[in-house]
Amino acid sequence: ELLLGMGGVKALRVFQRLTGCPAPEVFHTNEGHAGFLGIERIQELMSAENPLSWSEALAAGRASTVFTTHTPVPAGIDRFEAVQIRHFFDAGLAPDVPVENVLDLGQENYEGGNPAVFNMAVMGLRLAQRANGVAKLHGVVSREMFSGLWPGFDHSEVPITSVTNGVHVPTWIDPKMTELAVKHFGGTDVDATGWEKIYDVEDDELWRLRRTLRSALVEDVRRRLRASWKKRGAADAELRWTDKVLDPDVLTIGFARRVPTYKRLTLMLRDPARLKALLLDPQHPIQLVIAGKSHPADDAGKKMIQDLVKFTDDPEVRHRIVFLPNYDIAMARTLFPGCDVWLNNPLRPLEACGTSGMKAAINGSLNLSVLDGWWDEMYDGENGWAIPTANNDASPTERDDIEAAALYELLETQVAPRFYGTTVSDAAGAAGPSQPATGTTPTHWVAMIKHTLAHLGPAVSAERMLQDYVNTLYRPAAAAGRQSASGSFKEAKELAQWITKIRKGWENVRIEYVDSVGVSEEPQIGDTLHVNTYVALHDLTPEDVAVEIAYGRAGQGETLEDVELLELCETEDLGNGRHLFTGSILINRSGSFGYTVRVLPKHPALASKAELGLIVNA
C-alpha cells in the first residue's frame, strides 16, 4: 500500500518531469490499496515553497480525489494494526505530516469500530471528496456499510454514489463477432454504437455463428481436459473418452470465477440427481463447463472444488459436465463466447458488481443469474433470466435449497426448452431429442441474443463506464481541484478555516423549538403548513448552516418515507446566537403525514450536505 500509493505519486511526478506531460488533476484510488497517495500529496503541499497547513493541504487534496470501494463486506477491506502504521510513518515517510493526523484518518472511531485498527477504506473515504460503489445495488450496500462515518444521516444520504463496472469490449469480444459487426455495421470500433443494427442480421446467420463459437469451446475443453487428466496421472490409453466430451449441438452453460464461498460454486450440486437428469435429458440436454481456482488459504473454496470434481468424474455424466482447473485469461477467450448461457449464483448482495457475465453478454450469451451486482440493474426480462432469492428469514441451508430449486426449475421449464425451440408440452410428445443447432433456428432464443447485443452490450462496456466516471466524478473533481488551488490555494485555506470553526462550534448548535400553524387536526390536500424553527447557533452564523424541514409519509417507528426536503429561511435574529427560521409546505398527498427539522453545515465548496458528517436533528 505504501509503495503503490506514495511511490505511485512520486513515479507520476518523475514521469511528468521526464516527458513534459501535464500534471494529473484528479487522483482516483480504487479500493484502499493506493490510499496513501493522499498522504504523499499532502506532504507535497506541506513541504512546498509556500507550505500549507495540515488542514489546508487536506482540503486541497480531498477536492480532487475520488475513492471507489469494491467490496460489499467488511472482511474484504484491508485493515492493519495502528501501531504498524505508526511504525512506518515514524520512520519519516512523510516528514512534514503529523503522524497522529495520519492515524486519525484510518481510525474506526464510530459505533462498532475498533479504535486500535487502521482501516484503509475509511482513510480512502476521508481523503476523497467524492466516492462510489461499483453497481447501483453495491452503492446501496456501501452507504449502509459505511454509515457509521455519517451518524444521524439516513443511509440514502451517505455521500457514496455508484458507477457500474464495465468490460473492455475489444479485448473480450471474439474475433468472429467482430467480423460480423464489421460486415454488417461497417467500421472496426466494436465498442461504439451500432449494435442496434444486429436486428438486420438474418437469424440463421447469427445462429450459425453461435454454433461455431460453441464448437470452438468444445474443442478447447477437450484439449484442456485431456491435459488435466494427464497431470492427474492418467495414461493416453485411458483418455479416449475425452474425444467425445461435450457436444457442439447441446445447450452449453458456463460458470467461471474465483471460488470464495459466497459465489456458491456447488449450488448446482444441491440435488445431484436432479442435475444429472438435466444433463442427460433426452429432449433438452444441457452441458456445463466450469472453471475456477481458489485462494491457497481458502479451505472452504478448495472443498467446493473437490466436491465438484468428484461429481464430474462420474463416467455417467463426465461427457456433459467438465471442471477446468487453473482458470486464466487464455481459457476465458473461448469460454465466454462459446457458452449459450452464463450462470452466476452468488449470495445476494455479496457480489459488488461481477463482470464475467458482461464478457459473455457482448458475445451473445444470455445470463442466468441471481439479481446481484450489475445484473440487478440491467436484467430486463429479455436478456436472460433472474434466479429468485430466498427471503432474509431463511437459514443458510433453507436459502440454498430454495435458490437451487429455483435454478433447476428455470433450466427445466424455460431455458432449455427455449434453446431447443420447443415448449415443455412439445417436448413431452416428441419422439426424439430436439437439436435446433443442426435443424430449425430457435427464433425466440435468437431474438434474445439480438436484444442482448443491441441493448446490454453497450451498457456493459468499459467505454460507458469511463464516460460515467468522467461525467459523474472526474469533471466535478477536476473543477473542485482547480477552484481549491486557485489564488495560491485561497479557497482551500478559507475552507479549512471554516471547517475548523464549524467543528469547534457544532456541539453548541441546538434546535430549541419547532411549531407549525395553518392546518387543522385533520389536514386536507391543498392545505399549507407553516413551520417556525428556533435554532441556537451560538458562535456560528445563519450563512454557515442549512436549516431544513424533511417531510413525507409517516411510517412505523416515527420514520418518514418518500421524503422531500425544503430549506427554511432565517427571518429573525433573536439575539445571543439564536435565530428564527421559517418556511411553508403545501400538503399535496393523501394519507399519513409527518415532518421533522434538521440543521447541517452549508458551504459552496462542499460536495454534499453530509460531507462533514455533522447534523442536528429535532
Side-chain angles (χ1 to χ4, degrees):
E1 275 83 354
L2 289 165
L3 179 63
L4 181 62
M6 302 185 75
V9 174
K10 293 177 183 294
L12 282 172
R13 301 308 187 203
V14 173
F15 179 79
Q16 175 191 343
R17 187 178 71 247
L18 293 176
T19 63
C21 287
E25 289 190 282
V26 175
F27 286 76
H28 181 181
T29 61
N30 268 311
E31 203 51 87
H33 310 310
F36 287 118
L37 71 82
I39 305 301
E40 179 65 23
R41 295 181 67 207
I42 289 172
Q43 167 63 30
E44 289 179 338
L45 294 171
M46 293 184 70
S47 61
E49 185 176 341
N50 297 305
L52 303 184
S53 67
W54 159 263
S55 59
E56 293 167 348
L58 176 61
R62 290 185 73 253
S64 56
T65 300
V66 174
F67 174 76
T68 296
T69 175
H70 282 264
T71 176
V73 291
I77 296 171
D78 287 337
R79 299 161 82 232
F80 301 99
E81 293 296 322
V83 292
Q84 186 180 7
I85 305 300
R86 178 185 292 278
H87 168 75
F88 282 101
F89 280 93
D90 276 345
L93 285 176
D96 296 291
V97 177
V99 175
E100 295 301 327
N101 292 7
V102 175
L103 296 175
D104 287 346
L105 288 172
Q107 188 179 31
E108 296 181 353
N109 56 348
Y110 45 80
E111 185 176 352
N114 181 354
V117 165
F118 188 92
N119 186 310
M120 294 296 290
V122 167
M123 178 185 70
L125 288 165
R126 286 172 172 159
L127 280 172
Q129 196 173 35
R130 290 163 180 82
N132 69 286
V134 291
K136 287 182 180 178
L137 179 60
H138 181 231
V140 173
V141 172
S142 298
R143 288 189 285 275
E144 180 176 355
M145 187 166 74
F146 293 108
S147 60
L149 294 173
W150 291 273
F153 286 92
D154 186 80
H155 290 171
S156 64
E157 293 186 289
V158 169
I160 300 175
T161 185
S162 63
V163 173
T164 303
N165 281 344
V167 295
H168 187 241
V169 175
T171 293
W172 291 109
I173 194 169
D174 190 89
K176 289 183 175 59
M177 289 297 297
T178 302
E179 291 172 10
L180 179 78
V182 171
K183 174 183 174 182
H184 290 281
F185 313 159
T188 57
D189 185 3
V190 295
D191 210 14
T193 57
W195 278 99
E196 68 276 1
K197 296 177 184 176
I198 192 68
Y199 290 109
D200 298 331
V201 177
E202 292 293 332
D203 287 1
D204 290 349
E205 180 182 0
L206 184 56
W207 186 243
R208 286 195 300 271
L209 173 57
R210 289 296 310 152
R211 187 184 188 278
T212 299
L213 297 175
R214 193 184 312 115
S215 299
L217 171 62
V218 169
E219 291 300 318
D220 191 45
V221 167
R222 290 172 179 173
R223 179 179 59 81
R224 291 179 182 276
L225 184 65
R226 186 180 184 87
S228 175
W229 273 84
K230 292 188 73 171
K231 282 187 178 181
R232 293 167 65 178
D236 286 334
E238 303 174 80
L239 298 177
R240 293 284 298 275
W241 63 273
T242 60
D243 295 336
K244 301 295 184 181
V245 163
L246 303 186
D247 183 332
D249 294 319
V250 167
L251 168 60
T252 305
I253 299 172
F255 184 103
R257 53 197 29 90
R258 293 177 300 110
V259 192
T261 53
Y262 81 88
K263 289 184 180 288
R264 297 191 294 184
L265 172 72
T266 53
L267 186 69
M268 64 186 77
L269 298 182
R270 200 73 184 171
D271 186 341
R274 197 167 178 184
L275 175 59
K276 185 176 290 189
L278 279 163
L279 295 169
L280 303 177
D281 188 286
Q283 306 301 326
H284 299 151
I286 70 169
Q287 56 195 14
L288 279 159
V289 181
I290 305 155
K293 62 170 65 176
S294 64
H295 190 281
D298 184 2
D299 291 334
K302 292 177 185 176
K303 177 64 167 57
M304 284 184 175
I305 291 177
Q306 290 164 359
D307 291 343
L308 184 65
V309 170
K310 182 179 179 181
F311 183 89
T312 61
D313 282 353
D314 182 350
E316 189 178 1
V317 296
R318 65 187 183 185
H319 66 297
R320 287 277 165 79
I321 182 169
V322 175
F323 177 79
L324 300 176
N326 301 317
Y327 174 53
D328 59 14
I329 291 177
M331 190 184 299
R333 297 236 184 258
T334 57
L335 185 56
F336 288 124
C339 289
D340 301 293
V341 172
W342 196 259
L343 175 63
N344 191 26
N345 45 233
L347 284 171
R348 188 180 194 269
L350 301 185
E351 183 91 279
C353 180
T355 57
S356 60
M358 296 179 173
K359 297 166 189 171
I362 60 175
N363 287 286
S365 300
L366 307 181
N367 275 265
L368 171 61
S369 176
V370 167
L371 288 174
D372 198 9
W374 72 276
W375 190 236
D376 180 70
E377 67 194 76
M378 294 191 188
Y379 165 67
D380 66 8
E382 284 298 321
N383 51 18
W385 295 268
I387 301 171
T389 51
N391 63 47
N392 293 332
D393 295 331
S395 69
T397 299
E398 291 172 332
R399 178 198 57 222
D400 287 353
D401 286 341
I402 291 168
E403 295 180 15
L407 170 60
Y408 297 137
E409 179 77 11
L410 281 168
L411 289 170
E412 290 165 349
T413 65
Q414 296 189 41
V415 181
R418 190 168 297 179
F419 176 83
Y420 290 106
T422 64
T423 64
V424 174
S425 59
D426 291 335
S434 303
Q435 297 290 348
T438 58
T440 305
T441 298
T443 55
H444 193 168
W445 188 277
V446 175
M448 293 180 72
I449 293 174
K450 290 182 176 181
H451 179 81
T452 294
L453 292 171
H455 298 282
L456 188 56
V460 300
S461 73
E463 182 173 327
R464 186 276 309 154
M465 176 190 70
L466 185 56
Q467 289 174 349
D468 287 351
Y469 269 109
V470 168
N471 295 323
T472 305
L473 295 164
Y474 294 166
R475 281 178 172 162
R482 293 175 199 143
Q483 184 65 28
S484 178
S486 63
S488 298
F489 294 95
K490 180 175 180 291
E491 184 171 292
K493 294 174 181 178
E494 291 176 351
L495 178 61
Q497 185 178 10
W498 178 82
I499 290 174
T500 299
K501 180 183 76 168
I502 293 294
R503 293 198 181 281
K504 182 179 179 181
W506 199 253
E507 63 182 15
N508 296 318
V509 175
R510 298 283 185 275
I511 298 175
E512 295 181 334
Y513 183 69
V514 179
D515 67 27
S516 58
V517 295
V519 295
S520 62
E521 292 184 3
E522 296 183 2
Q524 304 294 317
I525 292 178
D527 288 353
T528 299
L529 180 71
H530 302 282
V531 179
N532 298 313
T533 303
Y534 298 84
V535 181
L537 297 177
H538 294 280
D539 296 329
L540 305 184
T541 70
E543 291 73 26
D544 291 327
V545 300
V547 179
E548 294 180 339
I549 179 169
Y551 61 98
R553 182 161 49 88
Q556 296 181 345
E558 297 185 352
T559 61
L560 290 177
E561 301 172 359
D562 301 325
V563 175
E564 296 183 45
L565 298 169
L566 173 71
E567 186 170 346
L568 304 181
C569 298
E570 193 236 355
T571 56
E572 187 176 353
D573 185 340
L574 303 174
N576 296 321
R578 299 173 64 249
H579 302 266
L580 172 62
F581 291 81
T582 63
S584 299
I585 304 168
L586 176 66
I587 298 178
N588 59 1
R589 67 184 76 183
S590 59
S592 58
F593 180 83
Y595 72 91
T596 187
V597 174
R598 61 188 196 167
V599 183
L600 312 92
K602 180 181 179 180
H603 192 282
L606 297 181
S608 79
K609 297 175 183 178
E611 183 170 326
L612 300 186
L614 300 174
I615 189 171
V616 173
N617 290 306

